[in-house]
Amino acid sequence: MTASSTRRTSAARSRLAAAGAIAVAGALLLTGCGDQTKDKNKDSGSASTSTAPLADKLPQDIRSAGKIRVGSDIAYAPVEFKDASGKVVGLDPELAAAMGKQLGVTFEFENGTFDALLTGLRSGRNDIAMSAMTDNKNRQEGVDPDTGKKVGEGVDFVDYLSAGVSIYTRKGDTNGITTWSDLCGKKLAVERGTISEDLAKQEAKKCPAGKKLTVEAFDDDQQSQTRLRSGGVDAASSDFPVAAWAVKNSGGGKDFQLVGDQVQAAPYGIAVSKKETQLRDALKAAMDAIIKNGEYKTILEKWGAQDGAVKESAINGGK
């Protein structure tokens, strides 16, 4: 979920640049409280800390606990969502599981609304946030994208993918929308706290008098899709992989269609407290290890995200 103009921009992040067909089914600086209920599924396996190759890179408290608590908006297919049995699945959980084998710990995903994930991280409720989160300077520095003012402690990111933002409409009912400027005079659904919301607010300021862009923000992307499906808005916006998944799978592919190009290509990052540099560096080492051994490529291909692949992870690569 991209956020702020420094991250989700034009003709690129376009939350996996031109990612092909996205497989099957079916979210920050802002604060807020959401469902922070711990998901009961332990979504990623791990090797024993005594045998895992990178276990010694972790902070001792994490090694002793044997787990990393992950804050995530688990309603953002195909990046993270619950399958029919209630198990947490998707791109992020599988990448985390592969990293867990390298580090000798389990990544436990805990559900929360996207705009509250960094709050949960700062409060110590979670060790990291991994939720299709766009790495950008605002989030790194704790700056509110609307006011430009510092509102909290920033975070560090371990970047692992490139993605963009897309607009989609009801199938066969585009209302002439092909670009963001075409949204003036229309209603747009977005997920709260995301780059899509930031872009929509920026675009709304450009609209001429009498052609107001109305932005409706929801707690999760599923609510945005429901609003569009019912005809309550003219279009919706989300990260490209998520929009493409919805287009392919909602109503058997009969509900939605993508319009225009992706914009704001930027990296997805795992958010870590700036105080936890050892954990940050351990995560980077684990991500680089699975990129090198091929697990990363296999997982991205499974979820249709291969076009957003990176050759190595980076720390705070977002602009």
Side-chain angles (χ1 to χ4, degrees):
M1 301 150 196
T2 4
S4 133
S5 64
T6 48
R7 153 49 193 155
R8 292 171 177 189
T9 77
S10 72
R13 189 156 174 241
S14 313
R15 269 326 291 166
L16 257 83
I22 302 246
V24 185
L28 235 38
L29 287 163
L30 306 177
T31 59
C33 11
D35 173 16
Q36 298 297 337
T37 322
K38 177 180 177 180
D39 191 273
K40 300 302 181 183
N41 296 293
K42 293 189 177 180
D43 305 297
S44 39
S46 66
S48 165
T49 53
S50 63
T51 60
L54 300 178
D56 61 351
K57 291 186 175 294
L58 285 170
Q60 186 56 52
D61 60 333
I62 297 288
R63 293 185 66 184
S64 298
K67 65 181 180 181
I68 294 175
R69 299 167 301 162
V70 185
S72 187
D73 171 20
I74 308 173
Y76 210 60
V79 186
E80 49 261 318
F81 62 105
K82 292 184 180 181
D83 65 14
S85 70
K87 180 182 178 181
V88 177
V89 297
L91 175 67
D92 279 354
E94 290 200 21
L95 289 174
M99 294 168 68
K101 290 187 292 184
Q102 296 293 321
L103 295 167
V105 294
T106 296
F107 286 65
E108 293 190 354
F109 279 69
E110 301 179 4
N111 194 32
T113 54
F114 185 74
D115 62 347
L117 294 182
L118 292 189
T119 303
L121 179 60
R122 296 185 189 109
S123 71
R125 182 166 54 236
N126 303 117
D127 300 309
I128 65 174
M130 188 174 186
S131 190
M133 186 176 291
T134 301
D135 171 10
N136 59 36
K137 291 298 182 184
N138 283 337
R139 287 173 174 160
Q140 292 171 23
E141 298 170 1
V143 173
D144 185 326
D146 291 332
T147 65
K149 295 180 179 179
K150 191 171 179 63
V151 293
E153 180 183 317
V155 296
D156 284 338
F157 286 97
V158 177
D159 300 337
Y160 61 98
L161 196 71
S162 178
V165 177
S166 292
I167 301 169
Y168 57 104
T169 66
R170 289 181 298 280
K171 195 159 191 175
D173 187 17
T174 67
N175 288 304
I177 299 170
T178 58
T179 68
W180 281 82
S181 60
D182 294 330
L183 292 169
C184 292
K186 308 290 197 306
K187 293 181 179 180
L188 177 72
V190 297
E191 180 175 355
R192 188 175 292 107
T194 63
I195 291 296
S196 289
E197 183 181 26
D198 292 344
L199 286 174
K201 288 179 178 179
Q202 293 167 22
E203 194 61 45
K205 294 176 182 178
K206 304 174 188 176
C207 292
K211 293 194 70 177
K212 176 183 177 182
L213 165 56
T214 301
V215 182
E216 297 188 9
F218 297 90
D219 285 343
D220 62 52
D221 199 69
Q222 294 301 312
Q223 293 175 21
S224 294
Q225 292 179 26
T226 298
R227 182 66 167 155
L228 176 60
R229 195 180 293 111
S230 69
V233 293
D234 300 295
S237 175
S238 58
D239 289 358
F240 172 74
V242 176
W245 179 281
V247 167
K248 180 178 178 63
N249 294 288
S250 180
K254 297 179 181 179
D255 287 348
F256 306 131
Q257 70 179 78
L258 289 166
V259 293
D261 296 324
Q262 300 175 61
V263 300
Q264 290 276 71
Y268 278 177
I270 302 170
V272 188
S273 167
K274 286 188 177 293
K275 299 174 183 177
E276 298 293 340
T277 56
Q278 186 177 355
L279 175 58
R280 178 200 68 195
D281 293 346
L283 293 169
K284 182 185 186 309
M287 184 62 73
D288 285 337
I290 67 171
I291 291 173
K292 185 176 181 180
N293 71 16
E295 288 184 89
Y296 173 83
K297 180 176 183 288
T298 299
I299 293 167
L300 264 60
E301 288 177 347
K302 175 179 177 179
W303 296 103
Q306 63 273 13
D307 287 350
V310 297
K311 294 182 179 179
E312 64 178 347
S313 63
I315 293 175
N316 296 332
K319 306 300 183 184

